[in-house]
Amino acid sequence: FFFKQKTAYEILPVSWARRCVQETDSDPEKLMNDILKLPVEKLQADQNKIIGNFPNTYTFTKSIAERMIARYRGNLPLVILRPSIIGCSWREPTRGWIDSVSAIGAILLFAGLGIVKTLEGDIDTVGDIIPVDVVSDYCVVACYTFANQNALNVVHCGSSHLHPVTWRIAAMQTIAYFRANPSEKAVSKPGTMISKNKFVLNATKLYRLSLIHI
């Protein structure tokens, strides 16, 4: 039995809906070998052509890995778990626990410390954050459910369908928490603007810089 935790963002909409391994016209093994032969400069210059419809190299390379695992699984039962954005714990081992400052955890922490003041994006988009302990529970349940099946099973782990939380709510709760529980390492009062309007963001940055030099 083989279990692999991946990410929900390495796939295109079709395979998300079908819960399957993303198939493309290219052979994953040949593609990987061809990429390894290219010099870094060539990779950087041809990046968009190489990754095709994938939004970035992160999702592209994870898709290659997923296809390679599926190709060589043989008769081994295989489960691929795809969580969305993993955040701090809900209940276990304790509420709010996290083991590293990276990804969404880093952004929220830096916003709470007053370091991050502006972010580009749609504040009313659902931020599909799933607690790390929920992902751990999914791992155990998925392994138990599919361990005896000679098949490839794909499991998705997200929260946006049943419990959608927008970035507006995530930002408001983060700022509210850090204002009520200020950190000794804070560099300024927490407060972050999220906007799709680059002009507004740049104007806000310029205004904040002007305050520093007054």
Side-chain angles (χ1 to χ4, degrees):
F1 179 75
F2 184 79
F3 173 85
K4 179 63 177 176
Q5 180 179 312
K6 302 288 286 182
T7 174
Y9 302 107
E10 69 193 60
I11 51 175
L12 301 178
V14 171
S15 64
W16 172 265
R18 296 177 182 173
R19 291 202 300 271
C20 62
V21 172
Q22 176 70 53
E23 295 295 339
T24 66
D25 295 333
S26 60
D27 178 271
E29 189 165 10
K30 182 180 183 303
L31 181 60
M32 182 176 64
N33 291 330
D34 289 344
I35 290 174
L36 291 174
K37 296 176 183 177
L38 294 174
V40 175
E41 296 77 13
K42 183 66 173 174
L43 283 173
Q44 292 175 337
D46 296 343
Q47 176 178 307
N48 292 337
K49 180 181 178 181
I50 294 171
I51 68 176
N53 293 326
F54 288 89
N56 49 51
T57 55
Y58 174 81
T59 56
F60 173 72
T61 53
K62 284 187 174 292
S63 177
I64 291 177
E66 193 171 274
R67 284 184 284 157
M68 291 291 289
I69 292 171
R71 169 176 289 188
Y72 290 106
R73 77 172 185 88
N75 295 321
L76 191 68
L78 172 63
V79 174
I80 296 175
L81 178 73
R82 294 173 177 160
S84 54
I85 303 173
I86 301 178
C88 65
S89 64
W90 174 28
R91 293 179 297 190
E92 301 172 347
T94 185
R95 194 176 185 89
W97 175 87
I98 195 166
D99 68 342
S100 65
V101 181
S102 61
I104 187 60
I107 295 175
L108 297 180
L109 174 61
F110 294 154
L113 295 178
I115 299 172
V116 173
K117 293 295 187 179
T118 58
L119 288 169
E120 183 178 350
D122 187 345
I123 196 170
D124 292 314
T125 296
V126 173
D128 199 356
I129 303 174
I130 190 77
V132 64
D133 50 333
V134 174
V135 177
S136 297
D137 291 344
Y138 263 73
C139 293
V140 175
V141 172
C143 289
Y144 176 82
T145 303
F146 300 114
N148 295 320
Q149 295 186 17
N150 180 16
L152 190 164
N153 291 282
V154 178
V155 179
H156 292 158
C157 179
S159 61
S160 61
H161 181 66
L162 295 177
H163 302 287
V165 176
T166 64
W167 291 117
R168 182 189 300 275
I169 295 174
M172 289 174 58
Q173 291 183 343
T174 299
I175 299 304
Y177 173 83
F178 278 95
R179 286 185 176 178
N181 304 273
S183 170
E184 295 179 353
K185 297 181 180 180
V187 299
S188 65
K189 185 177 180 180
T192 303
M193 171 183 286
I194 303 176
S195 176
K196 295 184 293 183
N197 191 316
K198 290 185 178 182
F199 176 80
V200 172
L201 291 175
N202 289 332
T204 302
K205 293 177 183 178
L206 183 61
Y207 172 71
R208 292 185 183 279
L209 285 172
S210 68
L211 294 179
I212 294 175
H213 295 287
I214 291 177

